[in-house]
Amino acid sequence: MSHSHEATIASIIGIIQKMKLKHEVTNITYRTDYQDYQLLFGDTHHCEIQEKTINDVMVFKNGDALRQIQFLLNHLTAWQDWERPSQNDTPNEKISLDDE
C-alpha cells in the first residue's frame, strides 16, 4: 500500500464524518493476516474494509470503491455473543501482534 496506516485511518475517519453515522467508531485496527481494517463501533457492531478498497479511494479516487465503503458503513455487522471481543483485549495488544 502506498499510504501509511495513519493516513489511511485518517481517510476512513474522513469518510465516516461526511456520512454522519448513527454509531460512533471506538477503534480502528489494521489486521495484517486479512489485509484489512477492522472498525469497532462500541460493543455492538463492527465492519471490515479491505486495504485495497481504501487504497483505490485514496489513490485513484475510485467512486465504486467509495460507494462500497459507504455501503459497508451503512450496513454494520452486529457482534454475535460468541465472537464479541473480550474485555481483556486492548487495542495495544492487537497492534503489538500485528507488528511482529
Side-chain angles (χ1 to χ4, degrees):
M1 183 161 170
S2 59
H3 296 285
S4 69
H5 291 297
E6 292 82 17
T8 304
I9 290 172
S11 179
I12 293 170
I13 291 172
I15 293 169
I16 291 170
Q17 288 174 342
K18 289 179 186 174
M19 292 179 61
K20 300 177 184 173
L21 294 176
K22 296 176 186 176
H23 299 284
E24 184 178 334
V25 176
T26 55
N27 190 17
I28 300 176
T29 304
Y30 180 73
R31 303 185 308 172
T32 55
D33 293 346
Y34 298 103
Q35 294 182 344
D36 70 358
Y37 287 85
Q38 183 178 49
L39 287 71
L40 303 179
F41 296 84
D43 291 338
T44 58
H45 292 83
H46 65 99
C47 171
E48 290 77 28
I49 301 173
Q50 292 296 314
E51 180 179 29
K52 182 189 179 316
T53 305
I54 298 166
N55 191 46
D56 287 349
V57 171
M58 293 175 67
V59 174
F60 303 112
K61 310 295 185 221
N62 186 317
D64 288 338
L66 178 60
R67 284 186 287 280
Q68 180 180 1
I69 292 171
Q70 291 171 337
F71 178 84
L72 291 170
L73 291 170
N74 280 322
H75 298 88
L76 300 174
T77 305
W79 286 110
Q80 300 293 323
D81 289 337
W82 54 270
E83 70 177 353
R84 197 173 299 244
S86 71
Q87 299 298 337
N88 296 334
D89 289 343
T90 62
N92 293 337
E93 290 176 18
K94 292 179 187 174
I95 291 172
S96 67
L97 292 176
D98 289 344
D99 291 338
E100 292 180 359

